[in-house]
Amino acid sequence: MITTEQHEKLRGWFAGRLPDDLFESLAEVTVDREEITVVGRIPEPRLAEGASDAEKEAALQARIQEFRERTREERIAVAREAEHRFRKKVSWGVECGGERALFTHIAAPVMTRLRQPERQVLDTLIAAGVARSRSDALAWCVRLVQRHTDDWLAELRDSLEHVQRVRAQGPDAEPQDTPAADDEE
């Protein structure tokens, strides 16, 4: 986990490094141990007054695909530089007209040991057709928890950041500038 200051520096680097005309605005930069995901807003397509929902949806999907193809080389250049600098893979996404689309991004494997009651939960999700495998079922459970506990997770992340700050002030911390002993009288 990174501190708020580290996240702000990372977001600032992308804001400064991205070409001015790439996005209307930088919507979000998220980071974990493996990946940095950069999401920007792009303009909605102009449609005729009274366009149907199907037409709007098709236009949004086409705009997102057009953006992805047209900006590929620019995004690859920025990603290579960022991957070298931050030692993490960079993934991209866009927001357009309320639609959010992530381009190729990492799906990191996670190993876990589950007891029978937990395995039964996953197997029930498979039997119900919610998931194709235990891996899919576990990912579904994580997304469900994520959706319903955003406030709790945000509070937990804030607490972890506080612990990192306190730990940094401990006995192994870099010494701060202190007045020399002969300066005191």
Side-chain angles (χ1 to χ4, degrees):
M1 188 171 147
I2 66 171
T3 65
T4 299
E5 181 181 354
Q6 290 169 327
H7 185 264
E8 289 170 354
K9 286 181 178 181
L10 183 74
R11 183 178 171 86
W13 185 87
F14 277 98
R17 177 59 184 85
L18 292 173
D20 287 337
D21 61 346
L22 188 65
F23 297 124
E24 281 186 328
S25 63
L26 185 58
E28 182 178 285
V29 176
T30 56
V31 63
D32 67 11
R33 287 188 279 181
E34 292 87 17
E35 177 179 31
I36 300 167
T37 303
V38 180
V39 179
R41 285 186 190 85
I42 61 174
E44 292 182 47
R46 286 183 236 127
L47 297 170
E49 191 77 28
S52 70
D53 289 343
E55 185 178 351
K56 289 176 187 175
E57 177 65 23
L60 285 175
Q61 293 304 317
R63 172 60 53 91
I64 291 168
Q65 189 61 36
E66 181 277 333
F67 172 86
R68 184 177 186 185
E69 297 301 323
R70 176 176 44 84
T71 63
R72 179 172 277 127
E73 294 304 316
E74 287 178 297
R75 290 183 294 106
I76 287 172
V78 172
R80 282 188 179 137
E81 189 176 332
E83 288 169 3
H84 178 74
R85 181 183 186 100
F86 301 113
R87 305 275 188 243
K88 297 178 188 306
K89 289 294 183 186
V90 176
S91 299
W92 299 92
V94 294
E95 289 180 358
C96 182
E99 185 80 20
R100 184 183 184 108
L102 293 178
F103 305 152
T104 305
H105 52 283
I106 295 174
V110 178
M111 298 294 292
T112 186
R113 295 185 188 276
L114 299 176
R115 302 205 185 284
Q116 188 176 35
E118 291 100 7
R119 293 191 311 265
Q120 287 174 329
V121 169
L122 300 180
D123 293 342
T124 300
L125 293 171
I126 294 166
V130 172
R132 294 183 315 257
S133 65
R134 284 181 172 174
S135 178
D136 284 345
L138 188 56
W140 184 88
C141 291
V142 169
R143 287 190 302 273
L144 183 66
V145 169
Q146 179 185 23
R147 185 176 303 127
H148 294 292
T149 60
D150 282 341
D151 294 338
W152 181 81
L153 288 175
E155 187 176 334
L156 184 60
R157 287 183 187 111
D158 290 344
S159 296
L160 288 171
E161 187 174 317
H162 178 72
V163 168
Q164 288 178 337
R165 282 194 306 269
V166 171
R167 191 177 291 146
Q169 296 169 359
D172 295 332
E174 291 292 319
Q176 301 296 318
D177 291 334
T178 55
D182 56 274
D183 289 348
E184 297 176 11
E185 292 187 20

